[in-house]
Amino acid sequence: MEKFKYVKPGMSKINAGMPSKFGLPVKQKIISGIDGIPVSALIEEYGSPLFVISEKTIRDVYGEAKRAFDTRYPKVQFAWSYKTNYLDAVCSIFHEEGSWAEVVSGFEFEKALSNGVNGSQILFNGPEKSRDDLIMAIENNACIHIDHFDELYLLIEITREIQKKARVAIRINLDAGIYPIWDRFGFNYENGEAWNAINRIMLAESLELIGLHTHIGTYIMAQAAYGIAASKLANLYMAIHRKFDYWLKYLDLGGGFASKNTLKGAYMPGSETCPSFDDYAEAISNALISSEIPHENLPVLFLETGRALIDDAGYLLTTVLANKRLNGGRRSMVIDAGVNLLFTSFWYNLGVFPTKEMDHAEETTIYGPLCMNIDVIRDAIVFPQVKTGDQLVIERVGAYNITQWMQFINYRPNVVLIDNDGKTHIIRKKESLATFKKVEFDPKRG
Amino acid sequence: MKITNEVRISDNGFVFNSKTGDSFNVNPTGLELTKLIAQGHDFDSIKNIFLEKYDLDDLTFEKDFYEFCALIKHHQITSQEDPLDFK
């Protein structure tokens, strides 16, 4: 006699009188493949866990952002934020699309140069620039965004020593209605510090002031704040012209655009609340075009958005290691990807999805594989029954994870790019013991 | 382990616990398991019934059985006076 198909026994409590505030339950989203390649095939070939980057998504999202700004403002230049994801293959795609590089350390600067970026198309941000870094930047004709007076005076000193002019901008912190104000970076607009710095630079023969830069925060949901920031930069731009009869080349509004991920504690999903590129572009372009800057002297608008351009293109494929019932009755499961790979799981309720239709959804806690209590990928997610070995997909992990991940307890996994033709390529190889043997030395063993 | 007196189980998978006021839906295999436990079958007997009827291996059944038992015990559908009693 043929046996019946077995389904895992399940039970769910009926919670009458507590309807979902979002209405009827939606159908469980399933991600069975990425850009047409089945998840199972990717894991079979490259192992689990596995980061997957979609070139098509990168180019589509970049195109969307560029169109939003290009149709509203005459001169726009994107600069790829290296710290968001500095895998060479990812940076190269952005450079192919026309992005300059935005770097915040000597390491990132060297990486940009090695990716073939012309030094004059590198924006050098950040509070940490060593003497050697600054010399490298000056020699390569980069745009150095000065963060503080000590850096300004160090630059004057270096340029006198090496007798070469530096192209500089200053970073400005300002009140755009976003609190707390990131006043640890740059010179303040409201108390006149920024104007003082500008005056000092304009008097320095070895420094050429070419732009103004601000970065009002991260995951900014209020596009109007960018309008305020742009207006304040426009005021300084005009003040410089009035006093020195000089037009700067660019205004840099930085990054900080939100991605569609859902912040922890958010009432609505990020995909519903995140402003579109059109929203940000409208706020910034309107502020600049309606400022007192004459249209023929409008500066180039630089944008350094990272998160919003790359988050959607990154996936983490993972496998279920175990199912557990906690003391309080709550269901939990252990997967093979932990918080050491997913730094953004500390900020977001990341979307975790099965790869096939499954039944019996129940509130579940998802743990990573680390022998550490903090290794929680999702505190509470309504998730169907899964078995050991089932594969899951975590979406929107393209930003900050592959740069802020940490080698801890286990090797970091392969990162694979699916190119525009649907072919897969390893763009960062899984670590092995040899990775560590190369850089560790035991004096007792010689 | 036995189903407490206050629990009523319908044939379509609706379970009501008058002691706590909670009600539950069980899926068909969950219903079958609950009924077999209510009838007084022990683990080995239930395992044999399931292995005969379903396309299933003994380890998967054992894992799922104990997880289901923990769940119904948590909801006070079964009582287990001796914590070492797993029958």
Side-chain angles (χ1 to χ4, degrees):
Chain A
M1 189 185 83
E2 199 182 334
K3 293 190 175 181
F4 290 100
K5 184 172 177 273
Y6 172 74
V7 177
K8 183 176 176 171
M11 164 182 272
S12 54
K13 191 171 168 184
I14 299 168
N15 287 310
M18 291 180 66
S20 161
K21 59 181 175 267
F22 298 116
L24 291 170
V26 290
K27 197 173 166 354
Q28 170 72 51
K29 177 175 165 181
I30 289 165
I31 302 180
S32 56
I34 298 164
D35 291 358
I37 304 181
V39 169
S40 54
L42 288 165
I43 287 183
E44 192 182 346
E45 188 166 357
Y46 300 105
S48 174
L50 174 70
F51 275 103
V52 178
I53 308 277
S54 159
E55 178 178 355
K56 182 178 180 307
T57 308
I58 294 179
R59 292 190 192 272
D60 286 353
V61 175
Y62 181 86
E64 200 185 311
K66 191 150 170 33
R67 182 200 47 75
F69 281 91
D70 278 351
T71 52
R72 290 175 170 86
Y73 192 82
K75 292 177 260 182
V76 181
Q77 177 61 55
F78 282 82
W80 174 238
S81 159
Y82 264 50
K83 67 176 178 292
T84 312
N85 187 324
Y86 44 57
L87 289 172
D88 286 344
V90 170
C91 296
S92 297
I93 295 170
F94 282 105
H95 297 322
E96 265 179 36
E97 290 287 335
S99 268
W100 290 16
E102 185 262 325
V103 303
V104 292
S105 67
F107 157 66
E108 288 188 2
F109 198 106
E110 287 174 358
K111 225 168 189 296
L113 287 178
S114 78
N115 282 330
V117 181
N118 187 304
S120 64
Q121 298 187 347
I122 299 177
L123 309 181
F124 196 0
N125 279 323
E128 185 250 329
K129 304 179 193 86
S130 69
R131 174 179 280 268
D132 287 347
D133 294 339
L134 289 171
I135 292 172
M136 174 168 62
I138 296 166
E139 298 288 359
N140 282 285
N141 215 19
C143 315
I144 302 168
H145 290 186
I146 302 171
D147 185 74
H148 45 260
F149 275 110
D150 282 337
E151 190 172 275
L152 198 165
Y153 285 103
L154 178 60
L155 259 177
I156 294 175
E157 195 184 304
I158 293 171
T159 48
R160 279 181 188 166
E161 265 172 39
I162 65 172
Q163 301 206 334
K164 196 157 184 206
K165 223 169 174 176
R167 297 160 77 227
V168 301
I170 60 165
R171 175 156 177 175
I172 295 162
N173 67 67
L174 45 80
D175 184 354
I178 300 295
Y179 305 106
I181 297 171
W182 282 13
D183 59 354
R184 59 167 287 186
F185 300 113
F187 302 89
N188 186 253
Y189 171 84
E190 283 81 13
N191 70 10
E193 192 187 22
W195 183 237
N196 281 347
I198 288 166
N199 278 279
R200 182 65 191 86
I201 294 168
M202 293 303 285
L203 292 174
E205 284 179 5
S206 58
L207 301 183
E208 182 190 1
L209 184 69
I210 55 173
L212 301 173
H213 168 231
T214 190
H215 186 115
I216 58 175
T218 191
Y219 203 97
I220 304 295
M221 309 269 289
Q223 63 271 25
Y226 284 94
I228 297 169
S231 301
K232 290 186 173 178
L233 291 191
N235 289 344
L236 281 176
Y237 181 84
M238 287 307 295
I240 292 166
H241 174 68
R242 275 194 284 269
K243 181 164 178 184
F244 300 101
D245 190 24
Y246 175 74
W247 294 110
L248 295 179
K249 291 189 168 58
Y250 66 84
L251 297 181
D252 182 345
L253 265 292
F257 296 171
S259 79
K260 294 189 183 77
N261 259 308
T262 304
L263 285 175
K264 286 194 169 175
Y267 184 71
M268 295 282 284
S271 53
E272 302 292 324
T273 54
C274 164
S276 65
F277 288 119
D278 287 304
D279 295 331
Y280 291 118
E282 188 74 13
I284 293 170
S285 308
N286 271 353
L288 292 180
I289 288 169
S290 60
S291 72
E292 54 172 330
I293 304 174
H295 282 202
E296 62 276 18
N297 296 108
L298 279 171
V300 177
L301 169 63
F302 275 84
L303 296 157
E304 303 168 353
T305 180
R307 181 193 312 277
L309 290 182
I310 188 70
D311 229 4
D312 280 8
Y315 300 85
L316 179 60
L317 315 187
T318 174
T319 304
V320 177
L321 297 178
N323 284 294
K324 292 178 102 166
R325 188 67 62 179
L326 303 178
N327 283 351
R330 181 196 277 274
R331 186 177 157 238
S332 72
M333 63 182 179
V334 185
I335 60 174
D336 67 1
V339 292
N340 57 325
L341 303 182
L342 284 172
F343 195 84
T344 56
S345 64
F346 293 115
W347 318 328
Y348 299 138
N349 284 330
L350 289 168
V352 186
F353 302 99
T355 52
K356 57 188 178 198
E357 199 88 46
M358 288 168 181
D359 294 329
H360 215 75
E362 186 183 346
E363 192 156 273
T364 304
T365 301
I366 303 180
Y367 295 115
L370 305 178
C371 195
M372 296 285 286
N373 199 38
I374 57 160
D375 193 15
V376 182
I377 301 297
R378 286 294 303 265
D379 285 322
I381 178 173
V382 175
F383 210 78
Q385 291 286 350
V386 287
K387 293 194 302 295
T388 305
D390 280 345
Q391 294 160 347
L392 312 178
V393 178
I394 305 177
E395 68 167 8
R396 296 196 177 112
V397 297
Y400 290 106
N401 290 302
I402 294 168
T403 47
Q404 287 188 284
W405 60 355
M406 170 166 57
Q407 188 279 315
F408 181 54
I409 295 182
N410 217 330
Y411 302 123
R412 283 177 287 193
N414 280 322
V415 183
V416 163
L417 177 83
I418 302 178
D419 69 17
N420 265 352
D421 300 325
K423 291 197 182 103
T424 56
H425 311 267
I426 290 183
I427 57 172
R428 193 183 192 280
K429 204 168 159 21
K430 183 183 175 176
E431 290 167 343
S432 67
L433 192 59
T435 315
F436 300 92
K437 290 286 184 195
K438 260 190 223 164
V439 292
E440 284 186 30
F441 306 95
D442 180 351
K444 285 191 180 139
R445 287 196 182 180
Chain B
M1 186 170 62
K2 65 183 185 70
I3 304 285
T4 55
N5 291 334
E6 293 85 355
V7 169
R8 292 292 174 271
I9 305 161
S10 81
D11 285 340
N12 60 1
F14 180 76
V15 176
F16 178 63
N17 185 347
S18 62
K19 187 174 158 192
T20 59
D22 292 334
S23 45
F24 307 88
N25 280 324
V26 284
N27 67 3
T29 39
L31 177 64
E32 203 172 341
L33 263 187
T34 316
K35 284 190 162 178
L36 289 168
I37 294 169
Q39 288 162 16
H41 288 271
D42 65 5
F43 169 75
D44 287 331
S45 155
I46 299 173
K47 184 170 86 174
N48 290 336
I49 294 168
F50 264 68
L51 292 184
E52 191 137 323
K53 182 171 176 186
Y54 294 104
D55 181 17
L56 173 71
D57 65 84
D58 59 339
L59 288 181
T60 304
F61 173 76
E62 192 174 320
K63 266 197 314 188
D64 291 354
F65 175 80
Y66 284 120
E67 188 186 333
F68 187 74
C69 287
L71 186 62
I72 58 177
K73 188 180 151 202
H74 169 72
H75 289 306
Q76 300 181 47
I77 288 163
T78 55
S79 60
Q80 184 183 0
E81 279 158 21
D82 177 2
L84 298 180
D85 171 23
F86 290 107
K87 290 284 174 193

